[in-house]
Amino acid sequence: IWALQQGREVIALLGGDSTDQSMQLALDRVGTFHPIVQELSHHGLGNSYFSAEIQARLKPGTLVVSTDSVHCDETVQERVSALCKAGDSKLHYTFHGDYSLAF
């Protein structure tokens, strides 16, 4: 799990393949912050990698899901939409194009 920070602002949270439990432990250790962008763990696939509770706690500005359209079926899209709703976040799938953030 990487949190990229500039001054006091957390620019990006990169979860890699961390599970929801690992993210919970990390946040309990360092405290809650609200990143500008969060890359969703494990390409947005699987059930144990993220939760609405963590997303509600993080409230990232944009949630990025790095996956292809083949793996992003209706079930995945519904799960990711619920995570965005919980965190009041915008959504970006990388199969729609690259994501970039200038700061």
Side-chain angles (χ1 to χ4, degrees):
I1 299 172
W2 286 68
L4 305 177
Q5 185 173 324
Q6 182 179 33
R8 293 182 170 247
E9 185 172 37
V10 177
I11 296 165
L13 176 61
L14 309 171
D17 280 342
S18 63
T19 62
D20 188 62
Q21 182 181 15
S22 295
M23 186 67 73
Q24 176 73 43
L25 290 170
L27 292 174
D28 288 348
R29 236 182 238 170
V30 300
T32 299
F33 52 86
H34 308 290
I36 294 172
V37 63
Q38 176 190 358
E39 185 261 333
L40 191 61
S41 295
H42 204 253
H43 307 283
L45 307 173
N47 290 322
S48 64
Y49 293 93
F50 29 76
S51 67
E53 293 78 21
I54 292 292
Q55 292 312 119
R57 184 174 173 184
L58 285 169
K59 296 187 185 320
T62 301
L63 189 62
V64 174
V65 181
S66 59
T67 191
D68 57 31
S69 60
V70 173
H71 290 96
C72 193
D73 61 19
E74 189 174 314
T75 302
V76 171
Q77 291 180 34
E78 287 174 6
R79 183 183 315 118
V80 170
S81 290
L83 296 173
C84 285
K85 185 175 180 179
D88 194 27
S89 306
K90 296 175 191 169
L91 173 61
H92 180 82
Y93 289 106
T94 57
F95 63 83
H96 289 157
D98 293 339
Y99 180 85
S100 66
L101 176 67
F103 57 94

Coordinates of all heavy atoms in Angstrom, one line a residue:
I1 N 0.9 -1.2 0.0 CA 0.0 0.0 0.0 C 0.9 1.2 0.0 O 1.8 1.4 0.9 CB -0.9 0.0 1.2 CG1 -1.8 -1.2 1.2 CG2 -1.7 1.3 1.3 CD1 -2.6 -1.4 2.5
W2 N 0.7 2.1 -1.0 CA 1.5 3.3 -1.1 C 0.5 4.5 -1.0 O -0.5 4.6 -1.7 CB 2.2 3.4 -2.4 CG 3.4 2.5 -2.5 CD1 3.4 1.1 -2.5 CD2 4.7 2.9 -2.6 NE1 4.6 0.7 -2.6 CE2 5.5 1.7 -2.7 CE3 5.4 4.1 -2.6 CZ2 6.9 1.8 -2.8 CZ3 6.7 4.2 -2.7 CH2 7.5 3.0 -2.8
A3 N 0.9 5.5 -0.2 CA 0.2 6.8 -0.2 C 1.2 7.8 -0.6 O 2.2 8.0 0.0 CB -0.4 7.1 1.2
L4 N 0.9 8.5 -1.7 CA 1.8 9.6 -2.2 C 1.3 10.9 -1.7 O 0.1 11.2 -1.9 CB 1.8 9.5 -3.8 CG 2.2 8.2 -4.4 CD1 2.2 8.2 -5.9 CD2 3.6 7.7 -3.9
Q5 N 2.2 11.7 -1.1 CA 1.8 12.9 -0.4 C 2.6 14.0 -0.9 O 3.8 13.9 -1.2 CB 2.0 12.6 1.1 CG 1.5 13.7 1.9 CD 1.6 13.3 3.4 OE1 1.4 12.2 3.7 NE2 1.9 14.3 4.3
Q6 N 2.0 15.2 -1.0 CA 2.7 16.5 -1.3 C 2.3 17.4 -0.2 O 1.1 17.8 -0.1 CB 2.3 17.0 -2.7 CG 3.1 18.3 -3.0 CD 2.7 18.8 -4.4 OE1 1.6 18.7 -4.8 NE2 3.6 19.4 -5.1
G7 N 3.2 17.8 0.6 CA 2.9 18.6 1.8 C 2.0 17.8 2.7 O 2.3 16.7 3.0
R8 N 0.8 18.4 3.0 CA -0.1 17.7 3.8 C -1.2 17.0 3.0 O -2.1 16.3 3.6 CB -0.8 18.7 4.8 CG 0.2 19.2 5.8 CD -0.5 20.1 6.8 NE 0.4 20.4 7.9 CZ 0.2 20.0 9.1 NH1 -0.9 19.3 9.4 NH2 1.0 20.3 10.0
E9 N -1.2 17.2 1.7 CA -2.2 16.6 0.9 C -1.8 15.2 0.3 O -0.7 15.1 -0.2 CB -2.5 17.5 -0.3 CG -3.6 17.1 -1.2 CD -4.0 18.2 -2.2 OE1 -3.0 18.9 -2.7 OE2 -5.1 18.3 -2.5
V10 N -2.7 14.2 0.5 CA -2.5 12.9 -0.1 C -3.0 12.9 -1.5 O -4.2 13.1 -1.7 CB -3.1 11.8 0.8 CG1 -2.9 10.4 0.1 CG2 -2.6 11.8 2.2
I11 N -2.1 12.8 -2.4 CA -2.4 12.8 -3.8 C -3.0 11.5 -4.3 O -4.0 11.5 -5.0 CB -1.2 13.2 -4.7 CG1 -0.7 14.6 -4.2 CG2 -1.5 13.1 -6.1 CD1 0.6 15.0 -4.7
A12 N -2.3 10.4 -4.0 CA -2.8 9.1 -4.5 C -2.6 8.0 -3.5 O -1.6 8.0 -2.7 CB -2.0 8.8 -5.7
L13 N -3.6 7.1 -3.5 CA -3.5 5.9 -2.7 C -3.5 4.7 -3.6 O -4.4 4.6 -4.4 CB -4.7 5.8 -1.7 CG -4.8 4.5 -0.9 CD1 -3.6 4.4 0.0 CD2 -6.1 4.5 -0.1
L14 N -2.4 4.0 -3.6 CA -2.2 2.8 -4.5 C -2.3 1.6 -3.6 O -1.3 1.3 -2.9 CB -0.9 3.0 -5.2 CG -0.6 4.3 -5.9 CD1 0.8 4.4 -6.4 CD2 -1.7 4.5 -7.0
G15 N -3.3 0.8 -3.8 CA -3.6 -0.4 -3.0 C -2.9 -1.6 -3.4 O -2.9 -2.6 -2.7
G16 N -2.4 -1.7 -4.7 CA -1.8 -2.9 -5.1 C -2.8 -4.1 -5.1 O -3.9 -3.9 -5.5
D17 N -2.5 -5.1 -4.4 CA -3.4 -6.3 -4.2 C -3.7 -6.4 -2.7 O -4.0 -7.5 -2.3 CB -2.7 -7.6 -4.7 CG -2.9 -7.7 -6.2 OD1 -3.7 -7.0 -6.8 OD2 -2.2 -8.6 -6.8
S18 N -3.7 -5.3 -2.0 CA -4.0 -5.4 -0.6 C -5.5 -5.7 -0.4 O -6.3 -5.3 -1.1 CB -3.7 -4.0 0.1 OG -4.5 -3.0 -0.4
T19 N -5.7 -6.5 0.6 CA -7.1 -6.9 1.0 C -7.7 -5.7 1.8 O -7.1 -4.8 2.3 CB -7.1 -8.1 1.8 OG1 -6.4 -7.9 3.1 CG2 -6.5 -9.3 1.1
D20 N -9.0 -5.8 2.0 CA -9.8 -4.9 2.8 C -9.2 -4.9 4.2 O -9.0 -3.8 4.8 CB -11.2 -5.2 2.7 CG -12.1 -4.1 3.4 OD1 -12.1 -3.0 2.9 OD2 -12.7 -4.5 4.4
Q21 N -8.9 -6.0 4.7 CA -8.4 -6.1 6.1 C -7.0 -5.4 6.2 O -6.8 -4.7 7.1 CB -8.3 -7.6 6.5 CG -7.7 -7.7 7.9 CD -7.6 -9.2 8.3 OE1 -7.6 -10.1 7.4 NE2 -7.5 -9.5 9.6
S22 N -6.2 -5.6 5.2 CA -4.9 -4.9 5.2 C -5.0 -3.4 5.1 O -4.3 -2.7 5.8 CB -4.0 -5.4 4.0 OG -3.7 -6.7 4.1
M23 N -5.9 -2.9 4.3 CA -6.2 -1.5 4.2 C -6.7 -1.0 5.5 O -6.3 0.1 6.0 CB -7.2 -1.2 3.0 CG -7.4 0.3 2.8 SD -5.9 1.1 2.1 CE -5.9 0.5 0.4
Q24 N -7.6 -1.7 6.1 CA -8.1 -1.3 7.4 C -7.0 -1.1 8.5 O -6.9 -0.2 9.2 CB -9.2 -2.3 7.9 CG -9.7 -2.1 9.3 CD -10.7 -0.9 9.3 OE1 -11.5 -0.8 8.5 NE2 -10.6 0.0 10.3
L25 N -6.1 -2.1 8.5 CA -5.0 -2.1 9.5 C -4.1 -0.9 9.2 O -3.6 -0.2 10.1 CB -4.2 -3.4 9.4 CG -4.9 -4.6 10.0 CD1 -4.1 -5.9 9.7 CD2 -5.1 -4.5 11.5
A26 N -3.8 -0.6 7.9 CA -3.0 0.5 7.5 C -3.6 1.8 8.0 O -2.9 2.7 8.5 CB -2.7 0.4 6.0
L27 N -4.9 2.0 7.7 CA -5.6 3.2 8.1 C -5.6 3.4 9.6 O -5.6 4.5 10.1 CB -6.9 3.3 7.4 CG -7.0 3.4 5.9 CD1 -8.4 3.3 5.4 CD2 -6.3 4.7 5.4
D28 N -5.8 2.3 10.3 CA -5.9 2.4 11.7 C -4.5 2.8 12.3 O -4.4 3.5 13.3 CB -6.2 1.0 12.4 CG -7.7 0.7 12.2 OD1 -8.5 1.5 11.7 OD2 -8.0 -0.5 12.4
R29 N -3.4 2.5 11.6 CA -2.1 2.8 12.0 C -1.7 4.3 11.7 O -1.2 5.0 12.5 CB -1.1 2.0 11.3 CG -0.2 1.2 12.2 CD 0.8 0.4 11.4 NE 0.7 -0.9 11.8 CZ 1.2 -2.0 11.3 NH1 2.0 -1.8 10.2 NH2 1.0 -3.2 11.7
V30 N -2.1 4.8 10.5 CA -1.7 6.1 10.1 C -2.8 7.1 10.2 O -2.5 8.3 10.1 CB -1.1 6.1 8.6 CG1 0.1 5.2 8.5 CG2 -2.2 5.8 7.6
G31 N -4.0 6.7 10.4 CA -5.2 7.6 10.5 C -5.8 7.7 9.1 O -5.3 7.3 8.1
T32 N -7.0 8.3 9.1 CA -7.8 8.4 7.9 C -7.3 9.7 7.1 O -7.1 10.7 7.7 CB -9.3 8.5 8.2 OG1 -9.7 7.3 8.9 CG2 -10.1 8.7 7.0
F33 N -7.3 9.6 5.8 CA -7.0 10.7 5.0 C -7.9 10.6 3.7 O -8.6 9.5 3.5 CB -5.5 10.7 4.6 CG -5.0 9.4 4.0 CD1 -5.1 9.1 2.7 CD2 -4.4 8.5 4.9 CE1 -4.7 7.9 2.2 CE2 -3.9 7.3 4.4 CZ -4.0 7.0 3.0
H34 N -7.9 11.6 2.9 CA -8.8 11.6 1.8 C -8.0 11.9 0.5 O -7.8 13.1 0.2 CB -9.9 12.6 2.0 CG -10.7 12.5 3.3 ND1 -11.5 11.4 3.5 CD2 -10.6 13.2 4.4 CE1 -12.0 11.5 4.7 NE2 -11.5 12.6 5.3
P35 N -7.6 10.8 -0.2 CA -6.7 11.0 -1.3 C -7.5 11.7 -2.5 O -8.7 11.5 -2.7 CB -6.3 9.6 -1.7 CG -7.4 8.7 -1.2 CD -7.9 9.4 0.0
I36 N -6.8 12.4 -3.3 CA -7.3 12.9 -4.6 C -7.8 11.8 -5.5 O -8.9 11.8 -6.0 CB -6.3 13.9 -5.3 CG1 -6.1 15.1 -4.4 CG2 -6.9 14.3 -6.7 CD1 -4.9 16.0 -5.0
V37 N -6.9 10.8 -5.6 CA -7.2 9.6 -6.4 C -6.8 8.3 -5.7 O -5.8 8.3 -4.9 CB -6.5 9.7 -7.8 CG1 -5.0 9.7 -7.6 CG2 -6.9 8.6 -8.7
Q38 N -7.6 7.3 -5.8 CA -7.3 6.0 -5.3 C -7.4 5.0 -6.4 O -8.4 4.9 -7.1 CB -8.3 5.6 -4.2 CG -8.0 4.2 -3.6 CD -9.2 3.7 -2.7 OE1 -10.1 4.5 -2.4 NE2 -9.1 2.5 -2.3
E39 N -6.3 4.2 -6.5 CA -6.4 3.0 -7.5 C -6.9 1.8 -6.7 O -6.4 1.5 -5.7 CB -5.0 2.8 -8.0 CG -4.9 1.7 -9.1 CD -4.5 0.4 -8.5 OE1 -3.8 0.3 -7.5 OE2 -4.9 -0.7 -9.1
L40 N -8.0 1.3 -7.1 CA -8.7 0.2 -6.4 C -7.9 -1.0 -6.5 O -7.3 -1.4 -7.5 CB -10.1 0.0 -7.0 CG -11.0 -0.9 -6.2 CD1 -11.3 -0.3 -4.8 CD2 -12.3 -1.1 -7.0
S41 N -7.8 -1.7 -5.3 CA -7.0 -2.9 -5.2 C -7.5 -4.0 -6.2 O -8.7 -4.1 -6.5 CB -7.1 -3.5 -3.8 OG -6.6 -2.7 -2.8
H42 N -6.5 -4.8 -6.6 CA -6.8 -6.1 -7.3 C -7.6 -5.8 -8.6 O -8.5 -6.7 -8.9 CB -7.4 -7.1 -6.4 CG -7.2 -8.5 -6.9 ND1 -8.2 -9.3 -7.5 CD2 -6.1 -9.3 -6.9 CE1 -7.7 -10.4 -7.8 NE2 -6.4 -10.5 -7.5
H43 N -7.4 -4.7 -9.3 CA -8.1 -4.4 -10.5 C -9.6 -4.3 -10.4 O -10.4 -4.5 -11.4 CB -7.8 -5.4 -11.6 CG -6.3 -5.6 -11.8 ND1 -5.5 -4.6 -12.5 CD2 -5.4 -6.5 -11.4 CE1 -4.3 -5.0 -12.5 NE2 -4.2 -6.2 -11.9
G44 N -10.1 -4.1 -9.2 CA -11.6 -4.1 -8.9 C -12.3 -5.4 -8.9 O -13.5 -5.5 -9.0
L45 N -11.5 -6.5 -8.9 CA -12.0 -7.8 -9.0 C -11.9 -8.5 -7.6 O -10.9 -8.3 -6.9 CB -11.2 -8.7 -10.0 CG -11.1 -8.0 -11.4 CD1 -10.2 -8.8 -12.3 CD2 -12.5 -7.9 -12.1
G46 N -12.9 -9.4 -7.3 CA -12.9 -10.1 -6.1 C -13.7 -9.4 -5.0 O -14.0 -8.2 -5.1
N47 N -14.0 -10.1 -3.9 CA -14.8 -9.6 -2.9 C -14.1 -9.2 -1.6 O -14.5 -8.4 -0.9 CB -15.9 -10.6 -2.5 CG -16.9 -10.8 -3.6 OD1 -17.3 -9.8 -4.2 ND2 -17.4 -12.0 -3.8
S48 N -12.9 -9.7 -1.4 CA -12.2 -9.5 -0.1 C -11.2 -8.3 -0.2 O -10.5 -8.1 0.8 CB -11.5 -10.7 0.3 OG -10.4 -11.1 -0.6
Y49 N -11.1 -7.6 -1.3 CA -10.1 -6.6 -1.5 C -10.6 -5.2 -1.2 O -9.7 -4.3 -1.0 CB -9.6 -6.6 -3.0 CG -8.9 -7.9 -3.3 CD1 -9.5 -9.0 -3.9 CD2 -7.5 -8.0 -3.0 CE1 -8.8 -10.2 -4.1 CE2 -6.8 -9.2 -3.3 CZ -7.5 -10.2 -3.8 OH -6.8 -11.4 -4.1
F50 N -11.8 -5.0 -1.0 CA -12.3 -3.6 -0.7 C -13.7 -3.7 -0.1 O -14.4 -4.7 -0.3 CB -12.3 -2.8 -2.0 CG -12.6 -3.6 -3.2 CD1 -13.8 -4.1 -3.6 CD2 -11.5 -3.9 -4.0 CE1 -14.0 -4.8 -4.7 CE2 -11.7 -4.6 -5.2 CZ -12.9 -5.1 -5.5
S51 N -14.2 -2.6 0.5 CA -15.5 -2.6 1.1 C -16.1 -1.2 1.0 O -15.3 -0.2 0.9 CB -15.5 -3.1 2.5 OG -14.8 -2.1 3.3
A52 N -17.4 -1.1 1.1 CA -18.0 0.2 1.1 C -17.6 1.0 2.4 O -17.5 2.2 2.3 CB -19.5 0.0 1.1
E53 N -17.4 0.3 3.5 CA -17.0 0.9 4.7 C -15.7 1.7 4.6 O -15.5 2.8 5.0 CB -16.9 -0.1 5.9 CG -18.2 -0.7 6.3 CD -18.7 -1.8 5.3 OE1 -17.9 -2.4 4.6 OE2 -20.0 -2.0 5.3
I54 N -14.7 1.0 4.0 CA -13.4 1.7 3.7 C -13.5 2.8 2.8 O -13.0 3.9 3.0 CB -12.3 0.6 3.2 CG1 -12.0 -0.4 4.3 CG2 -11.1 1.4 2.7 CD1 -11.3 0.2 5.5
Q55 N -14.3 2.7 1.7 CA -14.5 3.8 0.8 C -15.2 4.9 1.4 O -14.8 6.1 1.1 CB -15.3 3.3 -0.5 CG -14.5 2.3 -1.3 CD -13.1 2.7 -1.6 OE1 -12.1 2.1 -1.2 NE2 -12.9 3.9 -2.3
A56 N -16.1 4.7 2.3 CA -16.8 5.8 3.0 C -15.8 6.5 3.9 O -15.9 7.7 4.1 CB -18.0 5.2 3.8
R57 N -14.9 5.8 4.4 CA -13.9 6.4 5.3 C -12.8 7.2 4.5 O -12.5 8.3 4.9 CB -13.2 5.2 6.1 CG -12.1 5.7 7.1 CD -11.6 4.5 7.9 NE -10.5 4.9 8.7 CZ -9.8 4.1 9.5 NH1 -10.1 2.8 9.5 NH2 -8.9 4.5 10.2
L58 N -12.4 6.7 3.4 CA -11.4 7.3 2.5 C -11.9 8.5 1.7 O -11.3 9.5 1.6 CB -10.7 6.3 1.6 CG -9.8 5.3 2.2 CD1 -9.4 4.3 1.2 CD2 -8.5 6.1 2.7
K59 N -13.1 8.3 1.2 CA -13.7 9.4 0.3 C -12.7 9.9 -0.7 O -12.5 11.1 -0.8 CB -14.3 10.5 1.2 CG -15.4 10.1 2.1 CD -16.0 11.3 2.7 CE -17.1 10.9 3.7 NZ -18.0 9.9 3.5
P60 N -12.2 9.1 -1.6 CA -11.3 9.6 -2.6 C -12.0 10.4 -3.6 O -13.2 10.2 -3.9 CB -10.7 8.3 -3.3 CG -11.8 7.3 -3.0 CD -12.4 7.6 -1.7
G61 N -11.4 11.5 -4.2 CA -12.0 12.3 -5.2 C -12.4 11.4 -6.4 O -13.5 11.5 -7.0
T62 N -11.4 10.6 -6.9 CA -11.7 9.7 -8.0 C -11.2 8.3 -7.7 O -10.1 8.2 -7.1 CB -10.9 10.2 -9.3 OG1 -11.3 11.5 -9.6 CG2 -11.1 9.3 -10.5
L63 N -12.0 7.3 -8.0 CA -11.6 5.9 -7.8 C -11.2 5.4 -9.2 O -12.1 5.4 -10.1 CB -12.8 5.2 -7.2 CG -12.5 3.7 -6.8 CD1 -11.4 3.7 -5.7 CD2 -13.8 3.1 -6.3
V64 N -10.0 4.9 -9.4 CA -9.5 4.4 -10.6 C -9.5 2.9 -10.6 O -9.0 2.3 -9.6 CB -8.1 4.9 -11.0 CG1 -7.5 4.3 -12.2 CG2 -8.1 6.5 -11.1
V65 N -10.1 2.3 -11.6 CA -10.1 0.8 -11.7 C -9.3 0.4 -12.9 O -9.7 0.7 -14.0 CB -11.5 0.3 -11.8 CG1 -11.5 -1.3 -11.9 CG2 -12.4 0.7 -10.6
S66 N -8.1 -0.2 -12.7 CA -7.3 -0.5 -13.8 C -7.5 -2.0 -14.2 O -7.0 -2.9 -13.7 CB -5.8 -0.4 -13.4 OG -5.5 -1.2 -12.3
T67 N -8.4 -2.1 -15.2 CA -8.8 -3.4 -15.7 C -9.2 -3.2 -17.1 O -9.4 -2.1 -17.6 CB -9.9 -4.1 -14.9 OG1 -10.1 -5.4 -15.2 CG2 -11.3 -3.3 -15.0
D68 N -9.4 -4.4 -17.8 CA -9.9 -4.3 -19.2 C -11.4 -4.6 -19.2 O -11.9 -5.0 -18.2 CB -9.1 -5.3 -20.1 CG -9.2 -6.7 -19.6 OD1 -10.2 -7.1 -19.0 OD2 -8.2 -7.5 -19.9
S69 N -12.0 -4.3 -20.4 CA -13.4 -4.4 -20.5 C -13.9 -5.9 -20.4 O -15.0 -6.1 -20.0 CB -13.9 -3.8 -21.8 OG -13.3 -4.4 -22.9
V70 N -13.0 -6.8 -20.7 CA -13.4 -8.2 -20.7 C -13.6 -8.7 -19.3 O -14.6 -9.4 -19.0 CB -12.2 -9.1 -21.3 CG1 -12.5 -10.6 -21.1 CG2 -12.1 -8.8 -22.8
H71 N -12.8 -8.2 -18.3 CA -13.0 -8.6 -16.9 C -14.0 -7.7 -16.1 O -14.3 -8.0 -15.0 CB -11.6 -8.5 -16.2 CG -10.7 -9.6 -16.7 ND1 -9.8 -9.4 -17.6 CD2 -10.6 -10.9 -16.3 CE1 -9.1 -10.5 -17.9 NE2 -9.6 -11.5 -17.1
C72 N -14.4 -6.7 -16.8 CA -15.3 -5.7 -16.1 C -16.8 -6.0 -16.5 O -17.4 -5.2 -17.2 CB -14.9 -4.3 -16.4 SG -15.7 -3.1 -15.3
D73 N -17.3 -7.1 -16.0 CA -18.7 -7.5 -16.3 C -19.7 -6.7 -15.5 O -19.3 -5.8 -14.7 CB -18.9 -9.0 -16.2 CG -18.7 -9.5 -14.7 OD1 -18.7 -8.7 -13.8 OD2 -18.5 -10.7 -14.6
E74 N -20.9 -6.9 -15.6 CA -22.0 -6.2 -14.9 C -21.8 -6.3 -13.4 O -22.1 -5.3 -12.7 CB -23.4 -6.7 -15.4 CG -24.5 -5.9 -14.9 CD -25.8 -6.4 -15.4 OE1 -25.9 -6.6 -16.7 OE2 -26.8 -6.5 -14.7
T75 N -21.5 -7.5 -12.9 CA -21.3 -7.6 -11.5 C -20.2 -6.7 -10.9 O -20.3 -6.1 -9.9 CB -21.0 -9.1 -11.1 OG1 -22.0 -9.9 -11.6 CG2 -20.8 -9.3 -9.7
V76 N -19.1 -6.7 -11.6 CA -17.9 -5.8 -11.2 C -18.4 -4.4 -11.3 O -18.1 -3.6 -10.3 CB -16.7 -6.0 -12.1 CG1 -15.6 -5.0 -11.8 CG2 -16.2 -7.4 -11.9
Q77 N -19.1 -4.0 -12.3 CA -19.5 -2.6 -12.5 C -20.5 -2.2 -11.4 O -20.4 -1.1 -10.8 CB -20.1 -2.4 -13.8 CG -19.1 -2.4 -15.0 CD -19.7 -2.2 -16.3 OE1 -20.7 -1.4 -16.5 NE2 -19.2 -2.9 -17.3
E78 N -21.4 -3.1 -11.0 CA -22.3 -2.8 -9.9 C -21.5 -2.6 -8.6 O -21.8 -1.7 -7.8 CB -23.3 -3.9 -9.8 CG -24.4 -3.9 -10.9 CD -25.3 -5.1 -10.8 OE1 -25.3 -5.9 -9.9 OE2 -26.1 -5.2 -11.8
R79 N -20.6 -3.5 -8.3 CA -19.8 -3.5 -7.1 C -19.0 -2.1 -7.0 O -19.0 -1.5 -6.0 CB -18.8 -4.6 -7.0 CG -18.0 -4.7 -5.7 CD -17.0 -5.8 -5.6 NE -17.5 -7.1 -6.1 CZ -17.0 -7.8 -7.1 NH1 -16.1 -7.3 -7.8 NH2 -17.5 -9.0 -7.4
V80 N -18.4 -1.8 -8.1 CA -17.6 -0.6 -8.2 C -18.5 0.7 -8.0 O -18.1 1.6 -7.3 CB -16.7 -0.5 -9.4 CG1 -16.1 0.8 -9.6 CG2 -15.6 -1.6 -9.4
S81 N -19.6 0.7 -8.6 CA -20.5 1.8 -8.5 C -21.0 2.0 -7.1 O -21.1 3.1 -6.6 CB -21.8 1.6 -9.4 OG -21.4 1.7 -10.7
A82 N -21.2 0.9 -6.3 CA -21.6 1.0 -4.9 C -20.4 1.5 -4.1 O -20.6 2.3 -3.2 CB -21.9 -0.4 -4.4
L83 N -19.2 1.2 -4.5 CA -18.0 1.7 -3.8 C -17.9 3.2 -4.0 O -17.6 4.0 -3.1 CB -16.7 1.0 -4.2 CG -16.6 -0.5 -3.9 CD1 -15.4 -1.1 -4.5 CD2 -16.6 -0.7 -2.4
C84 N -18.1 3.6 -5.2 CA -18.1 5.1 -5.5 C -19.2 5.8 -4.8 O -18.9 6.9 -4.3 CB -18.2 5.3 -7.0 SG -16.7 4.9 -7.9
K85 N -20.3 5.2 -4.7 CA -21.4 5.9 -4.0 C -21.1 6.0 -2.5 O -21.3 7.1 -1.9 CB -22.7 5.1 -4.2 CG -23.9 5.7 -3.6 CD -25.2 5.0 -3.9 CE -26.4 5.7 -3.2 NZ -27.6 5.0 -3.5
A86 N -20.5 5.0 -1.9 CA -20.1 5.0 -0.5 C -19.1 6.1 -0.2 O -19.2 6.7 0.8 CB -19.6 3.6 -0.1
G87 N -18.2 6.3 -1.2 CA -17.1 7.3 -1.0 C -17.4 8.6 -1.6 O -16.6 9.5 -1.6
D88 N -18.6 8.7 -2.2 CA -18.9 10.0 -3.0 C -17.8 10.3 -4.0 O -17.3 11.5 -4.0 CB -19.2 11.1 -2.0 CG -19.9 12.3 -2.7 OD1 -20.6 12.0 -3.7 OD2 -19.7 13.4 -2.2
S89 N -17.4 9.3 -4.7 CA -16.2 9.5 -5.6 C -16.6 9.4 -7.1 O -17.6 8.7 -7.4 CB -15.2 8.3 -5.4 OG -14.9 8.2 -4.0
K90 N -15.8 10.1 -7.9 CA -16.0 9.9 -9.4 C -15.3 8.6 -9.7 O -14.5 8.0 -9.0 CB -15.2 11.0 -10.1 CG -15.8 12.4 -9.9 CD -14.9 13.4 -10.5 CE -15.4 14.8 -10.1 NZ -14.4 15.8 -10.5
L91 N -15.6 8.0 -10.9 CA -15.1 6.7 -11.3 C -14.4 6.9 -12.7 O -14.8 7.6 -13.6 CB -16.3 5.8 -11.5 CG -16.0 4.4 -12.1 CD1 -15.0 3.6 -11.2 CD2 -17.3 3.6 -12.2
H92 N -13.3 6.2 -12.8 CA -12.5 6.1 -14.0 C -12.0 4.6 -14.2 O -11.3 4.1 -13.4 CB -11.3 7.0 -14.1 CG -10.6 6.9 -15.4 ND1 -11.0 7.6 -16.5 CD2 -9.5 6.2 -15.7 CE1 -10.2 7.3 -17.5 NE2 -9.3 6.5 -17.0
Y93 N -12.5 4.0 -15.3 CA -12.0 2.7 -15.7 C -10.8 2.9 -16.7 O -11.0 3.7 -17.7 CB -13.0 1.9 -16.4 CG -14.1 1.3 -15.5 CD1 -15.4 1.9 -15.5 CD2 -13.9 0.3 -14.6 CE1 -16.4 1.4 -14.7 CE2 -14.8 -0.2 -13.8 CZ -16.1 0.3 -13.8 OH -17.1 -0.2 -13.0
T94 N -9.7 2.3 -16.6 CA -8.6 2.5 -17.5 C -8.9 1.9 -18.9 O -8.2 2.4 -19.9 CB -7.3 1.8 -17.0 OG1 -7.5 0.5 -16.7 CG2 -6.8 2.6 -15.7
F95 N -9.9 1.1 -19.1 CA -10.2 0.6 -20.5 C -10.9 1.8 -21.2 O -11.0 1.7 -22.4 CB -10.9 -0.7 -20.5 CG -12.3 -0.7 -19.9 CD1 -13.4 -0.2 -20.5 CD2 -12.5 -1.2 -18.6 CE1 -14.7 -0.3 -20.0 CE2 -13.7 -1.2 -18.0 CZ -14.8 -0.8 -18.7
H96 N -11.3 2.8 -20.5 CA -11.8 4.0 -21.2 C -10.7 5.0 -21.6 O -11.0 6.0 -22.2 CB -12.8 4.7 -20.3 CG -14.1 4.0 -20.2 ND1 -15.0 4.2 -19.1 CD2 -14.7 3.0 -20.9 CE1 -16.0 3.4 -19.2 NE2 -15.9 2.7 -20.3
G97 N -9.5 4.7 -21.2 CA -8.4 5.6 -21.5 C -7.5 5.7 -20.2 O -7.9 5.4 -19.1
D98 N -6.3 6.3 -20.5 CA -5.4 6.5 -19.4 C -5.9 7.5 -18.4 O -6.7 8.4 -18.7 CB -4.1 7.0 -19.9 CG -3.3 6.0 -20.7 OD1 -3.6 4.8 -20.6 OD2 -2.5 6.4 -21.5
Y99 N -5.5 7.4 -17.1 CA -5.8 8.4 -16.1 C -4.6 9.2 -15.8 O -3.5 8.6 -15.6 CB -6.3 7.7 -14.8 CG -6.7 8.7 -13.8 CD1 -7.9 9.3 -13.8 CD2 -5.7 9.1 -12.8 CE1 -8.2 10.3 -12.8 CE2 -6.0 10.1 -11.9 CZ -7.3 10.7 -11.9 OH -7.6 11.7 -11.0
S100 N -4.7 10.5 -15.8 CA -3.5 11.3 -15.4 C -4.0 12.4 -14.5 O -5.1 12.8 -14.5 CB -2.8 11.9 -16.7 OG -3.7 12.8 -17.3
L101 N -3.1 12.8 -13.6 CA -3.4 13.8 -12.7 C -2.2 14.8 -12.7 O -1.1 14.4 -12.4 CB -3.6 13.2 -11.3 CG -3.8 14.2 -10.1 CD1 -5.1 14.9 -10.3 CD2 -3.8 13.4 -8.8
A102 N -2.4 16.0 -13.0 CA -1.4 17.0 -12.9 C -1.4 17.8 -11.6 O -2.5 18.1 -11.1 CB -1.5 18.0 -14.1
F103 N -0.3 17.9 -10.9 CA -0.2 18.6 -9.7 C 1.1 19.3 -9.6 O 2.0 19.1 -10.3 CB -0.4 17.7 -8.5 CG 0.6 16.5 -8.4 CD1 1.7 16.6 -7.6 CD2 0.3 15.3 -9.1 CE1 2.6 15.6 -7.6 CE2 1.2 14.3 -9.0 CZ 2.4 14.4 -8.3

